[in-house]
Amino acid sequence: MGDLVESREWYLAAYCPEGVPTSDHLKLRTVTLSLAVDSIPDNHLAVETLQLSVDPYLRGRITGILEGLFISQYQLNQVITAFAVVRVIRSNDSKYSEGDILLNPNASVAEYNIVPSSQITRKIDTSNGISLSDYLGALGVPGFAAWVGIEVLGDPKPGSNVFISAASGAVGMNAGQLAKIRGCRVIGSTGSDDKVKLIKEEFGYDDGFNYNTESDFDAALSKYFPDGIDVYLDNVGGKMLEAVLNHVNKHARIPLCGMISQYNKVWTEREGVRNLLNMVGKEVRMEGFMLESYWHRFGDFAKDMERYIQEGKVKSKNKINIGIEGFLESLNSLFSSSNIGKVVVQVKA
């Protein structure tokens, strides 16, 4: 490879406070990048991106408004970032060598980049039988979110009744399997009959329902939880969260992982929850969480999840889209009912 490369990268051209982001908001451009040895500072690496993680929280970084997730906003004209698997092209750090495969939680959404080695989370052992895409799914942001939600905050006991919304999504498929490992009865909601079949047959859910056909959520939860809900991992918010509060048991726990049904709306148009008083009488603990507050537990999570994957206790379904040019379309697919599992963009083979 020569010292100069053409690198395509996605950058923020305009904020998108509501609705689905378009090419008016996120744009693809080509820049020339020097990978010459004297262009790489001490303790930095020249890397090429192999795979990019596409996650819903990215939507919250391009609103231009600091609310909701209260996550830092990208600056206009700034290259956006994501979890990524990268390969070292040239190294100016003795800990890393050319060809090493690494996990970078703050990678530029670009084909090539020069990064500080301190940004790297881990070196990936490609001989352990775990796919690279699983490092962005079960071992990445969604897997970590599921682990924090179930293992740390939900903490269900064997035999507990656990409900997980968006159960066939990247977080939901992992969360359900983690709850099953703990010996729980696990029910999920999804957007189609095929997805209900998927979560039962591939991810071990005890049952599930299609929220588009069983649209009376109160009736559905009465049917699937005759003994009430002990833990609810909320990924959608809105009407489903309200319905859950009518079916919680005493001392139920509700980790708030995300509210994907509300992300594309300004706060004044989001659906409110009218029955919060139920939390008082049932002594419910509802708690939002951001992964950065649990980053010190990432090593524990990775150790657990790698073992579960290798033992066959956690399975994944990854949707791999080819080409960095499809990143925007991949991001928007997260907010449609067509999405199943973890979405990854493969940039380089």
Side-chain angles (χ1 to χ4, degrees), residues 48 74 79 125 264 287 295 314 318:
E48 60 179 346
Y74 295 119
V79 179
D125 177 4
N264 289 325
E287 183 174 357
W295 202 248
V314 169
N318 302 318

Side-chain angles (χ1 to χ4, degrees), residues 11-15 23-27 75-78:
Y11 71 98
L12 181 63
Y15 290 114
S23 56
D24 291 332
H25 306 107
L26 295 177
K27 293 183 182 291
Q75 300 300 306
L76 292 177
N77 208 42
Q78 179 187 354

Side-chain angles (χ1 to χ4, degrees), residues 194-250:
D194 285 343
K195 291 181 182 180
V196 171
K197 183 179 179 183
L198 173 76
I199 64 172
K200 291 165 65 177
E201 294 183 355
E202 293 196 32
F203 304 140
Y205 275 73
D206 294 284
D207 214 335
F209 65 94
N210 175 356
Y211 60 76
N212 286 312
T213 55
E214 298 194 58
S215 54
D216 182 339
F217 297 160
D218 261 320
L221 294 176
S222 292
K223 173 182 174 182
Y224 292 100
F225 290 99
D227 298 320
I229 297 170
D230 298 305
V231 173
Y232 170 48
L233 182 65
D234 185 22
N235 292 302
V236 300
K239 294 176 182 176
M240 188 66 79
L241 175 58
E242 182 174 272
V244 165
L245 288 175
N246 287 332
H247 298 271
V248 285
N249 290 328
K250 195 147 190 173

Side-chain angles (χ1 to χ4, degrees), residues 13-320:
Y15 290 114
C16 180
E18 59 183 311
V20 176
T22 70
S23 56
D24 291 332
H25 306 107
L26 295 177
K27 293 183 182 291
L28 186 65
R29 65 188 173 196
T30 301
V31 298
T32 300
L33 184 66
S34 174
L35 303 180
V37 174
D38 58 7
S39 297
I40 305 172
D42 289 343
N43 300 312
H44 279 64
L45 310 168
V47 300
E48 60 179 346
T49 303
L50 301 183
Q51 296 188 358
L52 288 160
S53 180
V54 185
D55 297 296
Y57 78 88
L58 295 171
R59 178 66 185 87
R61 298 197 66 183
I62 61 173
T63 63
I65 306 167
L66 198 60
E67 59 86 42
L69 296 180
F70 287 93
I71 191 168
S72 62
Q73 298 294 295
Y74 295 119
Q75 300 300 306
L76 292 177
N77 208 42
Q78 179 187 354
V79 179
I80 62 173
T81 58
F83 241 77
V85 174
V86 302
R87 179 164 51 214
V88 177
I89 300 171
R90 289 174 182 157
S91 173
N92 202 354
D93 185 323
S94 59
K95 296 192 296 292
Y96 300 103
S97 304
E98 181 179 340
D100 283 348
I101 308 296
L102 311 174
L103 188 65
N104 184 351
N106 195 38
S108 294
V109 179
E111 292 176 294
Y112 299 94
N113 201 15
I114 294 176
V115 301
S117 54
S118 59
Q119 206 173 79
I120 301 303
T121 299
R122 64 181 300 181
K123 190 182 295 187
I124 293 173
D125 177 4
T126 56
S127 66
N128 64 8
I130 298 175
S131 70
L132 293 185
S133 57
D134 276 344
Y135 282 95
L136 300 179
L139 285 164
V141 169
F144 192 28
W147 186 86
V148 171
I150 297 296
E151 297 287 328
V152 180
L153 300 179
D155 192 24
K157 303 299 182 284
S160 295
N161 292 308
V162 177
F163 179 43
I164 296 169
S165 52
S168 66
V171 174
M173 65 180 180
N174 290 295
Q177 293 175 93
L178 290 173
K180 287 302 295 179
I181 289 170
R182 278 182 162 239
C184 301
R185 175 177 175 269
V186 186
I187 308 295
S189 63
T190 75
S192 73
D193 293 341
D194 285 343
K195 291 181 182 180
V196 171
K197 183 179 179 183
L198 173 76
I199 64 172
K200 291 165 65 177
E201 294 183 355
E202 293 196 32
F203 304 140
Y205 275 73
D206 294 284
D207 214 335
F209 65 94
N210 175 356
Y211 60 76
N212 286 312
T213 55
E214 298 194 58
S215 54
D216 182 339
F217 297 160
D218 261 320
L221 294 176
S222 292
K223 173 182 174 182
Y224 292 100
F225 290 99
D227 298 320
I229 297 170
D230 298 305
V231 173
Y232 170 48
L233 182 65
D234 185 22
N235 292 302
V236 300
K239 294 176 182 176
M240 188 66 79
L241 175 58
E242 182 174 272
V244 165
L245 288 175
N246 287 332
H247 298 271
V248 285
N249 290 328
K250 195 147 190 173
H251 302 298
R253 295 183 177 188
I254 304 179
L256 302 176
C257 180
M259 296 189 176
I260 200 165
S261 71
Q262 310 297 305
Y263 284 170
N264 289 325
K265 302 175 183 178
V266 294
W267 78 268
T268 52
E269 295 177 0
R270 292 178 189 147
E271 295 165 324
V273 176
R274 299 169 295 179
N275 54 353
L276 291 174
L277 186 59
N278 293 2
M279 292 181 61
V280 180
K282 291 293 184 75
E283 299 180 83
V284 174
R285 192 179 86 186
M286 184 188 296
E287 183 174 357
F289 66 96
M290 297 294 284
L291 293 184
E292 62 185 345
S293 298
Y294 294 88
W295 202 248
H296 63 287
R297 300 293 308 275
F298 190 87
D300 298 330
F301 147 73
K303 185 177 179 181
D304 282 354
M305 201 62 112
E306 274 194 16
R307 185 176 77 254
Y308 294 150
I309 292 171
Q310 290 172 327
E311 292 174 351
K313 293 180 179 178
V314 169
K315 300 175 183 177
S316 298
K317 191 172 186 66
N318 302 318
K319 175 70 168 69
I320 300 176

